[in-house]
Amino acid sequence: MADVLRVEVVSSTGIVWEGDALSVIVRTSEGDIGILPNHEPLLASLVPCAAEVLSTSDTREVVAIDGGFISVADNRVSLLSQFAKIAQEIDLVAAEHELAAAEKRINAGELDEETRHHFLRAQAQVRAARMARGN
């Protein structure tokens, strides 16, 4: 199948999702990018986002990632991130509470890198969970 992408999403704990796909949409440091079969080779940095993978079984997989890299070559797409979680496995209420706590810290003036990273990860999880639920 030359018109199929082989996709793997890898976190620091291992492979989060892998399979054949028709397309991948992620957010890079330059903006959103869509990957289709036969895409030119690419290496880019990712920002926290809800990555979307349209699998060959016509299901949409949504994965929360907190940054990292995307590598594309020869119809293989690798999303490499310190943190990645399938949207259906995210507890939306807990993620919303985590986001609210991070927002509160930022609004209180805590502008350190750890707080910012916590906020962006929580935001990616909420976005992914809502997308998976159709919100």
Side-chain angles (χ1 to χ4, degrees):
M1 285 190 210
D3 291 335
V4 172
L5 298 167
R6 183 68 186 164
V7 178
E8 62 181 8
V9 180
V10 182
S11 76
S12 62
T13 58
I15 295 174
V16 175
W17 188 90
E18 68 179 328
D20 292 332
L22 302 173
S23 68
V24 176
I25 300 172
V26 294
R27 181 163 292 166
T28 71
S29 57
E30 300 296 318
D32 289 350
I33 185 170
I35 307 296
L36 297 172
N38 304 311
H39 194 283
E40 65 184 34
L42 170 76
L43 180 61
S45 61
L46 298 171
V47 297
C49 68
E52 293 180 71
V53 178
L54 178 60
S55 74
T56 54
S57 62
D58 272 345
T59 59
R60 181 179 72 153
E61 299 294 336
V62 180
V63 183
I65 59 173
D66 73 343
F69 298 92
I70 180 173
S71 170
V72 180
D74 299 323
N75 285 331
R76 296 188 60 83
V77 178
S78 297
L79 303 177
L80 310 169
S81 182
Q82 183 71 22
F83 170 87
K85 192 168 191 177
I86 299 290
Q88 288 84 354
E89 298 173 1
I90 296 171
D91 178 340
L92 179 57
V93 173
E96 288 173 334
H97 282 102
E98 186 178 338
L99 179 59
E103 285 177 332
K104 185 176 180 179
R105 289 174 55 194
I106 288 173
N107 290 337
E110 293 183 45
L111 303 175
D112 58 280
E113 188 60 30
E114 181 182 329
T115 301
R116 184 180 164 283
H117 186 76
H118 182 234
F119 171 78
L120 293 173
R121 179 184 284 186
Q123 191 177 52
Q125 289 185 75
V126 168
R127 187 177 302 125
R130 286 179 179 165
M131 285 176 66
R133 290 160 177 78
N135 297 355

